[in-house]
Amino acid sequence: MNTTRLALILYIIAAPTLAGIAMTAVLATPHYQTSWLLAAALAGFLAAAPAAWLGARNINAKRR
């Protein structure tokens, strides 16, 4: 499978997962604000891009 296509598939799974983890961490703090939740969600979605790309590269490397 093409690395880009596999990375997009992994991103679809990783982005909401990482965003949810980050938002849960913010909700666990005693005093949070809505802007913190939005920042955590954005950080999760941004962090998922390199994670998905590296994961796709590793999967393709092991298949060859």
Side-chain angles (χ1 to χ4, degrees), residues 2 5 7 11-13 16-19 26 28-29 35-36 39 43 45 47-49 52-56 58 63-64:
N2 187 354
R5 184 181 222 178
Y11 181 80
I12 290 170
I13 297 167
T17 302
L18 291 177
V26 168
T29 61
S35 61
W36 293 6
F45 280 108
W53 183 257
L54 291 173
N58 286 338
R63 288 182 53 203
R64 293 181 184 167

Side-chain angles (χ1 to χ4, degrees), residues 13-49:
I13 297 167
T17 302
L18 291 177
I21 290 169
M23 290 176 68
T24 302
V26 168
L27 288 172
T29 61
H31 305 289
Y32 66 88
Q33 298 173 349
T34 305
S35 61
W36 293 6
L37 285 173
L38 295 174
L42 180 63
F45 280 108
L46 291 177

